[in-house]
Amino acid sequence: MTGDDLREKFLLFFEQKGHRRVESSSLVPRDDPTLLLTNAGMVQFKPYFTGEAVPPSPRLASCQKCFRTTDIGSVGNLKHLTFFEMLGNFSIGDYFKKEAIGWAWEFVLEWLKLPKENLWITIFLDDDESFQHWRDLGVEAGRIVRFGEKDNFWGPAGETGPCGPCSEIHYDFGKDVGCGRPECGPDCNCSRFMEIWNLVFTEYYQDAQGKRTPLPNKNIDTGMGLERAAALVQGTGSPYDTDLFAPIMQRVSQLTGRKYGEDEKTDRAMRIVAEHGRAVTFLAADGVVPSNEGRGYVLRRILRRAAVFGRTLEIDRPFLGEVAEQVIAGMNHVYPELATGRERVLKVIGAEEARFGETLVTGMSLLARTMELAKGSATRTLSGEEVFRLYDTYGFPSELTVELAAENGLSVDLEGFETEMERQRERARAAHKFGLGERGAAADYVSQALPPTEFVGYDGTRCKGSAISLASDGKFVEYVGEGQQVDIVLDKTPFYAEMGGQVADAGEIIGRQGRIAVGDAVAVGSGLVVHRGEVVSGTVRRGEEVTAVVDESRRLDIARNHTATHLLHAALRQVLGEEARQAGSQVAPDRFRFDFTQEAPVLEEELSRIQQLVNEYIRGNHPL
């Protein structure tokens, strides 16, 4: 069974169970500031779980492109990957534990033909319901193990979001594999057990303070790594020996003149080059460009890590573009964006590798000398100043320096490095100061268990509602008076809360004996809108009926600028090419900012043409 077979079998199996097949979303999460990169199959479905959006079907299935930064330093061993494909089935308030567990068991036994005697189950500590479902399927009680939150509670995918207890299926390679300890089990970090499928019972929303509240519905979110599953069904034990990686490993072998499987140190370097080469290809195809922060730094870090390990394999020229070519050729039938973005992908990788290559030889030489001196010192430690110099002058990520030092039995003064980094940040702040407004103290809305705010702003800019909560200085109060700052929650509102880069509406809330000037509206938790403002006259009490009025002319200014971002995006793609993709925006009544990916600065003549096109679109007065 090839990787393509496995991917298709999974999706077909769940289509037969009434699921709708959904295409993978981008590695760059859409309208989700809590996430750097898409790290799970459920990311694109978060609004469905929280009740903010209606799913196209209550049952969904996908094969999602994922990237997890936590495993970068582990890549090189036989198990870990940064980029991987996540097979998943999802229920949005439809079926729950019994069906999810039953179908998972049916798929691994009947469709993947995995031997039952090699499978173990883990469940959350007090999840007796899941325990009984597994027992009803014939799983021996001794093969169902209970663990706490560290092992069997998943989420959220980001700082906040849906989460819940989970049940996992693990494959046991046998007592002769791994640590050999009698107490070895699915939670052991040795190589005996491999987690293949995680079934998450998504019941809660976790806020930024870590507090959990029940979601509107009980949901299912599962994830099975395609590469790990392929390693099992193909009997290789490692993703790098499956057909998903074989062509890439073969290309690395051709580039290095080394044969995989003859020397562990060489094998590890080849795995790093192959895995990171695949990962940077997908990141670049989804519009990520190298930078010194955020997801751009992730791309830069793994590309440079691959380049360094390529150097240890004695590749003395840029080579990652050739690895990328192999990835594109082997995977564009599943992810067509690889083919359509081929030229830009190769340009991004080539430019970054060439830039790093200019200092790589000198930096490697300096690092080697620094490590030799450290070996002769009493502490066997690289100083923070040297690590910073390698980072600042030669482009070596500190994590890479730590890794290379550890391979030579040395430690790194990371505290000293951070001190040097902070000095650099202070210099930057002194050169370019700017301020960010503070929102002030925030009340604990989770503890109030307030119902979601009904948004009626699509139909008008005015509505009557009830003031169901008042807060001032972070504390809930029964009334507020003139001059007080206030947070007010209504049961329904026409105010749009800041989201997706668009600023919130402003306006006023008028009560029987008072009036509040609203300057902001903030989305909190699962569907709650908090209006922030000042009492400009009289008194407003909790529970009274009020009239919420949006500043309509300001709303229309924001709407026009929002439309203009789409017009600008279209013009950018027409003038600069399809590789110009939106990476963020901020839409206000008087201006907007539009972030987009582009390898080179926009030329004056290109800018003029872009402006001309947008103005032509506007003068066309097209129906919206």
Side-chain angles (χ1 to χ4, degrees), residues 439-462:
R439 291 192 185 276
D444 179 13
Y445 287 99
V446 173
S447 66
Q448 297 293 296
L450 298 172
T453 308
E454 180 186 355
F455 177 67
V456 297
Y458 290 126
D459 302 318
T461 55
R462 171 189 291 261

Side-chain angles (χ1 to χ4, degrees), residues 385-457:
E385 292 87 346
E386 288 294 348
V387 178
F388 177 76
R389 183 183 172 199
L390 282 162
Y391 167 79
D392 194 46
T393 307
Y394 300 101
F396 274 71
S398 60
E399 301 90 347
L400 184 55
T401 303
V402 169
E403 182 178 348
L404 295 172
E407 287 186 352
N408 285 271
L410 302 171
S411 59
V412 168
D413 176 17
L414 285 176
E415 189 174 331
F417 170 73
E418 285 301 325
T419 299
E420 293 297 322
M421 286 293 290
E422 186 54 37
R423 287 174 181 165
Q424 185 189 59
R425 294 186 195 107
E426 286 295 336
R427 290 192 293 270
R429 280 193 285 268
H432 185 68
K433 289 187 176 181
F434 62 96
L436 295 174
E438 294 293 331
R439 291 192 185 276
D444 179 13
Y445 287 99
V446 173
S447 66
Q448 297 293 296
L450 298 172
T453 308
E454 180 186 355
F455 177 67
V456 297

Side-chain angles (χ1 to χ4, degrees), residues 488-531:
I488 178 170
V489 178
L490 311 179
D491 61 344
K492 62 178 67 173
T493 183
F495 281 79
Y496 180 85
E498 182 170 343
M499 195 181 306
Q502 179 171 314
V503 298
D505 284 328
E508 58 182 3
I509 295 174
I510 306 164
R512 288 190 297 269
Q513 297 178 330
R515 185 164 62 89
I516 298 170
V518 177
D520 197 7
V522 184
V524 177
S526 182
L528 202 67
V529 175
V530 178
H531 309 76

Side-chain angles (χ1 to χ4, degrees), residues 179-491:
C179 64
R181 295 181 300 124
E183 65 271 24
C184 182
D187 63 331
C188 186
N189 289 324
C190 75
S191 56
R192 175 177 169 180
F193 291 90
M194 179 189 286
E195 177 205 326
I196 57 173
W197 204 344
N198 190 3
L199 315 176
V200 184
F201 312 126
T202 311
E203 304 178 61
Y204 306 104
Y205 181 92
Q206 181 170 307
D207 66 13
Q209 284 72 48
K211 293 185 178 179
R212 295 170 186 154
T213 53
L215 288 167
N217 298 298
K218 291 185 175 182
N219 312 288
I220 290 295
D221 156 29
T222 85
M224 175 165 61
L226 175 67
E227 293 83 358
R228 284 191 179 186
L232 287 179
V233 297
Q234 294 177 21
T236 67
S238 166
Y240 295 99
D241 293 308
T242 67
D243 71 304
L244 293 167
F245 264 100
I248 307 172
M249 295 297 291
Q250 186 176 357
R251 188 75 188 99
V252 174
S253 181
Q254 292 169 349
L255 289 167
T256 61
R258 309 292 182 90
K259 187 175 180 180
Y260 183 65
E262 293 185 343
D263 172 73
E264 177 49 32
K265 187 174 182 180
T266 297
D267 289 353
R268 178 172 180 267
M270 292 176 72
R271 289 192 291 265
I272 290 170
V273 169
E275 200 284 336
H276 287 353
R278 188 173 82 143
V280 297
T281 303
F282 274 91
L283 286 172
D286 278 348
V288 180
V289 292
S291 71
N292 281 333
E293 59 184 16
R295 55 184 68 101
Y297 180 68
V298 173
L299 189 155
R300 173 164 285 168
R301 179 182 166 191
I302 63 172
L303 186 148
R304 293 186 173 189
R305 186 171 187 250
V308 166
F309 279 93
R311 177 68 57 176
T312 68
L313 294 169
E314 299 180 357
I315 309 178
D316 57 0
R317 61 178 179 81
F319 65 91
L320 285 170
E322 295 176 64
V323 178
E325 287 271 31
Q326 181 61 59
V327 175
I328 294 168
M331 302 193 72
N332 73 81
H333 66 291
V334 182
Y335 301 104
E337 63 270 23
L338 293 174
T340 56
R342 175 183 173 277
E343 184 177 340
R344 184 170 54 83
V345 168
L346 297 179
K347 189 187 297 184
V348 167
I349 292 174
E352 179 66 15
E353 191 176 10
R355 188 179 297 119
F356 185 48
E358 294 170 3
T359 58
L360 176 58
V361 176
T362 307
M364 287 288 283
S365 177
L366 174 63
L367 177 59
R369 290 199 303 273
T370 304
M371 289 194 297
E372 281 302 315
L373 290 172
K375 287 177 182 177
S377 69
T379 61
R380 293 180 64 84
T381 301
L382 271 63
S383 70
E385 292 87 346
E386 288 294 348
V387 178
F388 177 76
R389 183 183 172 199
L390 282 162
Y391 167 79
D392 194 46
T393 307
Y394 300 101
F396 274 71
S398 60
E399 301 90 347
L400 184 55
T401 303
V402 169
E403 182 178 348
L404 295 172
E407 287 186 352
N408 285 271
L410 302 171
S411 59
V412 168
D413 176 17
L414 285 176
E415 189 174 331
F417 170 73
E418 285 301 325
T419 299
E420 293 297 322
M421 286 293 290
E422 186 54 37
R423 287 174 181 165
Q424 185 189 59
R425 294 186 195 107
E426 286 295 336
R427 290 192 293 270
R429 280 193 285 268
H432 185 68
K433 289 187 176 181
F434 62 96
L436 295 174
E438 294 293 331
R439 291 192 185 276
D444 179 13
Y445 287 99
V446 173
S447 66
Q448 297 293 296
L450 298 172
T453 308
E454 180 186 355
F455 177 67
V456 297
Y458 290 126
D459 302 318
T461 55
R462 171 189 291 261
C463 79
K464 290 187 180 297
S466 176
I468 62 175
S469 172
L470 292 173
S472 185
D473 293 326
K475 298 177 181 177
F476 292 104
V477 295
E478 289 299 310
Y479 65 91
V480 285
E482 186 171 332
Q484 277 188 278
Q485 299 294 316
V486 61
D487 289 1
I488 178 170
V489 178
L490 311 179
D491 61 344

Side-chain angles (χ1 to χ4, degrees), residues 52-118:
E52 297 172 73
V54 178
S57 167
R59 298 182 180 188
L60 304 168
S62 69
C63 182
Q64 173 65 49
K65 298 180 293 186
C66 293
F67 193 104
R68 292 187 180 170
T69 58
T70 51
D71 290 330
I72 291 176
S74 300
V75 169
N77 64 22
L78 292 171
K79 287 178 18 178
H80 286 93
L81 305 171
T82 57
F83 171 84
F84 60 96
E85 297 178 75
M86 181 72 87
L87 301 166
N89 60 287
F90 307 87
S91 166
I92 316 297
D94 187 20
Y95 61 85
F96 201 47
K97 294 182 181 180
K98 181 178 181 180
E99 293 84 353
I101 289 171
W103 290 337
W105 199 237
E106 179 183 352
F107 185 74
V108 297
L109 293 186
E110 298 181 20
W111 287 57
L112 299 189
K113 307 295 185 185
L114 296 182
K116 181 179 178 180
E117 59 272 17
N118 288 75

